[in-house]
């Protein structure tokens, strides 16, 4: 009793643990003197489980008095009648479950069990009885496959509705086979409706005739079938079997026949709504595959995934040392990337097989993808060698005896392309992570009796351990009497048949095109990787140099004691064209300047909006402000107009959308104690950080534009004093010719002319101006096109000074920086990202990703320094956003530069254009200081 309680408690525990709905009790082969204990157990079990909300069911055998149907039905929600095994493995041969026998079993059961509690179990399998031996159970597919192999047709018995046939095996032993199929199940399930049973169950799932699923979920009652006109024709085609029949021995496989559907003819008794006759016309078949290549004491070394410039060449050296052959299954992409190594493989006489183009998993690939993978690689091999190949090994599947349809799918497609499959039974698995040469050797030796082909890899990862293991493996096999050979020798075919010569006509036409294309692609790939590496190195070099120079500038600034000059008159010049949104706010900030000795000149450059009206109504009577208007002539013309009207010794030029911090002039003017200083650049900050694009521009201004000026200050190589905030010595500006209208980058052009005249240009990072950056991609690209075109114009104007020793700061710093980093490298920017993507796809990730990550780390470290030098602490999310920023920025700058070059080539002029203003600029007070 205690054991019974323990067992019941164990059942309850498992139901709770696995969240089951109930339990089915199956006590078979009962031979008891009393049914008392079984009924008692079932009673206690059902009481406990029902109280907890669980279902209790039980299996019972037909015609077995040890099962008290009536009593057991009281304690179970359902009773499963196991109406099968009329004959079993230990009995004589006979039907698994004859129809009349099932009817009788149900008749007996429903005399004691309510029909709505009775579930009829349907047999979906069969038995194979060798004469004089115990039988074995078989599935429907196995029964059909055996009938097909023995060239016999199953017979459908119209009395039992079971099927049977006889065959003789290779030992000439007679076999009797009985099994059930979809016609059997249909009639049995039909009977369950006539008896009004609770339903049916299948024994066993997975062994059934799949035609069952055409009707199992349908109502097969007599009335419904008569009304709905059931489509029995759907049951006459039998799907191909999943059984694979192998003939012969060896690891070289060739499909002899592919799966095909079978056909039966049915007769339907409409008066009974039953299938009365069934005739098998064509049996469904599965794959029949010929295996060859089994030879005693012969071994083939095979290598997958190559060629690789490093490892394949090392393997060739080892093979040459021992004077042994090998077979290489190559990837088309690696052939294309390593042409010299592949040519060496061919010239040395090694067998070459197809391993797809990209190492795709063909088990899950579409037919189109599979064909593309195979044909691309074949074309490459043919173009380079003049020979084709019929040797094929799909990636991820080197089983010498594949069984699933997924595994066989690539073989079938390969067969249609005239390939033979080369498996490998000796798998060293040298691709595994942290594999050692010792493990590779052990596997190669312990599996020596498995077959004739060893699988290793010459690419696809670091193969140093494979290289270490290979000589020892070779020496072991040679010592033990093995001969190293080729696949062609294993299957007794000449190499010329496995790697046939391409016909001259094809070679002359298609082959020439392919050969040329592949060679061009090879050299193009080398060039692309070279550009990628050079671009990253040059960019990283610039970043490091900039960081060094900027740090030097910061140290020098702290150690330098500059006398404050506060008596020079400053003329503030603000050119404004259609700036009605921003102009009032800009002027308000100018009126708050703490430097007193100033005059403010607002130049309305032919505005067509309310710029002039707003200025006149607000500041028309303000004596500190002079308002001028003129015909539109562009920003440079407006600035020159202001210079002409100015009275100051210094010129403070700003944009009309810029908010200046109150002490900006005081911080900048101290640099003019040096007579050689002609201009000072301020620090431009983004004042409208409204969205991702403006935040990215803020990062760019901080880590690139402002930080670069800080560095180039030490070399007197500042390229541009920004239009948003710049303080100029008026006399020097007049001397070099003021602003010019022949470029769109008048500020860059003026800066270069100041440097050419031998004057200094300085930067003051603590004097800040907050400008309005473009808030949409369209306006951003418009602004950058204007900048790019203007900088090109400025470069061209001063090109004679490039690499000039007369003006080394311009010839060897400013102009080379423009040429390399603003005119050349951005054209190749997309290559950086394309190479990374290509590497991730084709597995060349280690070096590329390493360089890419190193570059990003350098850039992030410099960003931290750049923000620190401006008194800010960069946030983690800002650092992380630099990754997508650079990827997207690179594409934008590429397009911008490309369009600029096209305009130059066509001889077109870039217009200034009007950027839509939003008035979102704000002055941000940065109080957080970081010691560096």
């Amino acid at each position: 009793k205690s054991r019974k309680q323990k067992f019941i408690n164990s059942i309850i525990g498992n139901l709770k643990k696995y969240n089951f709905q109930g339990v089915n009790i199956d006590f078979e082969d009962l031979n008891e003197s009393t049914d008392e204990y079984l009924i008692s157990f079932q009673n206690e079990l059902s009481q406990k489980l029902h109280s907890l909300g669980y279902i209790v069911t039980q299996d019972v055998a037909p015609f077995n008095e040890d099962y008290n149907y009536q009593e057991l039905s009281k304690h179970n929600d359902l009773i499963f009648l196991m109406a099968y095994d009329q004959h079993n493995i230990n009995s004589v041969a006979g039907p698994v479950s004859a129809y009349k026998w099932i009817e009788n079993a149900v008749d007996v059961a429903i005399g004691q069990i309510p029909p709505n509690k009775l579930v009829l179990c349907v047999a979906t399998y069969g038995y194979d009885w060798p004469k004089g031996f115990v039988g074995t159970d078989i599935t429907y597919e196995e029964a059909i496959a055996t009938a097909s192999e023995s060239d016999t047709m199953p017979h459908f018995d119209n009395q039992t509705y079971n099927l049977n046939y006889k065959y003789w095996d290779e030992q000439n032993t007679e076999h009797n086979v009985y099994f059930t199929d979809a016609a059997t199940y249909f009639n049995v399930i039909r009977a369950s409706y006539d008896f009004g049973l609770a339903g049916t169950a299948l024994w066993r799932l997975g062994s059934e005739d799949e035609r069952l699923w055409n009707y199992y979920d349908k109502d097969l009652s007599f009335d419904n079938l008569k009304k709905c006109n059931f489509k029995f024709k759907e049951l006459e085609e039998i799907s191909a079997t999943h059984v694979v029949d192998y003939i012969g021995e060896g690891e070289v496989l060739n499909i002899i026949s592919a799966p095909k559907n079978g056909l039966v003819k049915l007769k339907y008794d409409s008066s009974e709504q039953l299938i009365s006759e069934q005739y098998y016309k064509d049996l469904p078949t599965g794959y029949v595959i010929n295996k060859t290549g089994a030879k005693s004491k012969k071994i083939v070394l095979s290598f997958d995934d190559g060629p690789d410039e490093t490892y394949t060449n090392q393997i060739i050296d080892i093979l040459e040392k021992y004077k042994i052959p090998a077979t290489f299954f190559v990837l088309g992409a690696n052939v294309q990337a390593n042409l010299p190594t592949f040519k060496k493989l061919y010239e040395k006489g090694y067998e070459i097989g197809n391993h797809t183009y990209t190492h795709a998993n063909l088990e899950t690939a579409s037919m189109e993808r599979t064909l593309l993978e195979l044909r691309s690689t074949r074309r490459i091999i043919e173009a380079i060698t003049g020979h084709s190949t019929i040797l094929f090994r799909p990636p991820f599947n080197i089983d010498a005896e594949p069984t699933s349809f997924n595994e066989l799918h690539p073989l079938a497609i390969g067969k249609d392309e005239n390939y033979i499959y080369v498996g490998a039974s000796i798998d060293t698995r040298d691709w595994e992570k942290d594999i050692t040469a010792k493990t590779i050797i052990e596997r190669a030796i312990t599996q020596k009796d498995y077959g004739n082909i060893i699988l290793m890899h010459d690419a696809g990862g670091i193969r140093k351990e494979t290289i270490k293991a290979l000589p020892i493996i070779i020496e072991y096999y040679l010592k033990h009497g093995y001969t190293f050979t080729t696949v062609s020798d294993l299957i007794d075919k000449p190499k010329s048949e496995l790697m046939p010569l391409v016909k001259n006509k094809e070679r002359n036409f298609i082959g020439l095109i392919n050969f040329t294309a592949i060679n061009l692609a090879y050299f193009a790939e080398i060039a692309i990787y070279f550009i990628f590496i050079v671009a990253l190195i040059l960019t990283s070099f610039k970043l490091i140099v900039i960081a060094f120079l900027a740090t030097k500038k910061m140290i020098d600034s702290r150690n330098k004691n500059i006398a404050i000059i506060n008596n020079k008159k400053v003329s503030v010049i603000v050119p404004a064209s259609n700036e009605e949104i921003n102009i009032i706010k800009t002027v308000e900030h100018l009126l708050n300047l703490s430097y007193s000795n100033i005059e403010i000149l607002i130049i309305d450059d032919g505005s067509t909006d309310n710029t002039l009206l707003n200025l006149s109504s607000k500041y028309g009577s303000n004596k500190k402000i002079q308002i001028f208007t003129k015909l539109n002539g562009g920003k440079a013309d407006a600035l020159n107009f202001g210079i002409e009207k100015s009275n100051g010794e210094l010129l403070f030029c700003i944009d009309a959308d810029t908010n200046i911090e109150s002490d900006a002039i005081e911080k900048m003017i101290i640099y003019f104690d040096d007579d050689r200083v002609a201009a000072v650049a301020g620090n431009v900050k983004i004042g409208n950080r409204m969205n991702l694009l403006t935040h990215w521009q803020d990062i760019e201004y901080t880590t690139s534009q402002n930080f670069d000026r800080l560095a180039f200050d030490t070399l007197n190589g500042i390229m541009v004093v920004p239009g948003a905030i710049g303080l100029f010595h008026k006399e020097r500006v007049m001397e070099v010719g003021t602003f010019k209208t022949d470029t769109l980058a008048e500020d860059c052009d003026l800066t270069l002319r100041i440097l050419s005249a031998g004057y200094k240009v300085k930067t003051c990072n603590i004097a800040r101006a907050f400008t309005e950056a473009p808030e949409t991609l369209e306006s951003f690209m418009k602004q950058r096109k204007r900048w790019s075109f203007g900088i090109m114009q400025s470069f061209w104007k001063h090109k004679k000074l490039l690499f000039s020793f007369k003006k080394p700061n311009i010839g060897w710093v400013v102009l080379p920086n423009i040429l390399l980093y603003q005119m050349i490298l951005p054209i190749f920017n997309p290559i950086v990202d394309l190479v990374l993507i290509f590497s991730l796809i084709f597995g060349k990730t280690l070096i590329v990703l390493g360089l890419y990550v190193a570059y990003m780390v350098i850039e992030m470290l410099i960003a931290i320094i750049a923000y620190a030098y401006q008194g800010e602490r960069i946030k983690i999310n800002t650092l992380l956003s630099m990754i997508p920023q650079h990827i997207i920025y690179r594409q934008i700058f590429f397009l911008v530069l490309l369009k600029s070059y096209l305009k130059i080539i066509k001889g077109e002029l870039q217009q200034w254009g009007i950027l839509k203003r939003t008035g979102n600029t704000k002055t941000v007070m940065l109080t957080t200081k970081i010691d560096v």
Side-chain angles (χ1 to χ4, degrees), residues 151-381:
D151 198 23
T152 187
M153 283 290 181
H155 166 67
F156 180 76
D157 189 327
N158 59 14
Q159 298 298 314
T160 66
Y161 300 141
N162 281 215
L163 297 96
N164 66 284
Y165 63 85
K166 287 184 180 181
Y167 75 97
W168 282 260
D169 62 24
E170 293 176 353
Q171 285 73 41
N172 207 30
T173 300
E174 180 184 345
H175 289 248
N176 276 284
V177 177
Y178 283 84
F179 64 104
T180 60
D181 73 353
T184 315
Y185 319 150
F186 181 90
N187 290 342
V188 173
I189 294 170
R190 265 283 301 110
S192 72
Y193 280 89
D194 291 341
F195 285 111
L197 304 184
T200 57
L202 305 178
W203 183 257
R204 298 174 309 267
L205 198 63
S207 62
E208 74 280 356
D209 177 353
E210 290 185 355
R211 291 179 294 163
L212 163 72
W213 305 114
N214 288 321
Y215 58 77
Y216 191 67
D217 60 342
K218 292 180 172 58
D219 180 357
L220 300 188
S221 64
F222 182 89
D223 292 338
N224 189 62
L225 286 173
K226 198 169 184 180
K227 179 175 62 178
C228 74
N229 190 24
F230 183 76
K231 296 177 182 178
F232 285 92
K233 282 287 183 184
E234 293 181 357
L235 301 181
E236 293 193 336
E237 185 176 55
I238 308 173
S239 297
T241 70
H242 292 78
V243 176
V244 183
D245 185 23
Y246 284 99
I247 300 170
E249 294 294 331
E251 294 136 291
V252 182
L253 311 183
N254 192 22
I255 296 176
I256 297 174
S257 63
K260 66 174 184 178
N261 293 343
L263 182 68
V264 300
K265 289 295 179 183
L266 299 174
K267 284 188 178 180
Y268 185 62
D269 184 347
S270 57
S271 63
E272 296 290 333
Q273 297 295 330
L274 294 171
I275 297 174
S276 58
E277 292 287 356
Q278 179 180 219
Y279 303 97
Y280 275 77
K281 298 295 185 182
D282 292 308
L283 293 178
T285 61
Y287 282 101
V288 179
I289 298 177
N290 183 51
K291 298 176 66 176
T292 56
K295 287 189 175 181
S296 177
K297 290 292 183 176
K298 288 204 172 185
I299 203 78
V300 172
L301 281 171
S302 67
F303 299 91
D304 286 6
D305 296 352
D308 178 89
E309 185 179 4
T310 302
Y311 301 118
T312 304
N313 281 301
Q314 291 180 12
I315 288 171
I316 290 173
D317 291 342
I318 294 169
L319 296 175
E320 294 236 302
K321 176 184 175 182
Y322 290 96
K323 295 181 173 55
I324 60 174
T327 305
F328 291 83
F329 290 89
V330 298
L331 294 174
N334 281 350
V335 171
Q336 195 168 308
N338 299 284
L339 275 182
T341 303
F342 177 72
K343 288 177 181 177
K344 186 176 180 181
L345 275 178
Y346 172 71
E347 290 164 0
K348 295 289 184 182
Y350 296 107
E351 283 181 335
I352 295 169
N354 193 330
H355 197 50
T356 73
Y357 186 82
T358 65
H359 205 270
N361 187 350
L362 301 186
E363 292 182 21
T364 58
S366 65
M367 177 178 287
E368 291 77 13
R369 170 71 185 276
T370 301
L371 289 173
L372 182 63
E373 292 278 345
L374 293 178
R375 290 173 180 175
S376 298
T377 304
R378 175 176 265 172
R379 291 287 182 267
I380 291 171
I381 293 171

Side-chain angles (χ1 to χ4, degrees), residues 9 22 50 53 67 112 175-176 222 396 421 427 442 474 487 527 564 578 716 772 795 825 839 850 870:
N9 290 336
H50 284 152
Y67 295 96
Q112 303 174 64
H175 289 248
N176 276 284
F222 182 89
F396 305 104
Y421 171 96
D427 186 1
E442 287 174 353
I474 291 171
V487 174
I564 297 178
N578 294 326
N716 195 25
E772 181 179 314
F795 174 83
L825 281 182
S839 301
Q870 295 199 153

Side-chain angles (χ1 to χ4, degrees), residues 594-654:
S594 57
Y595 191 79
S596 58
N597 192 13
I598 65 170
E599 61 175 356
I600 300 174
L601 294 81
I602 313 296
I603 316 301
D604 173 57
D605 188 33
S607 298
T608 57
D609 63 358
N610 293 321
T611 300
L612 183 59
L613 180 63
N614 292 349
L615 281 167
S616 299
S617 61
K618 181 80 173 177
Y619 302 110
S621 60
N622 193 315
K623 294 181 180 180
K624 292 184 178 181
I625 299 173
Q626 301 177 57
I627 301 171
F628 300 92
T629 185
K630 59 180 285 294
L631 293 174
N632 182 264
K635 182 180 177 183
D637 188 59
L639 284 166
N640 289 337
F641 183 91
I643 293 171
E644 184 181 338
K645 299 294 183 181
S646 68
N647 298 302
E649 185 180 343
L650 301 177
L651 306 172
F652 188 57
C653 301
I654 70 167

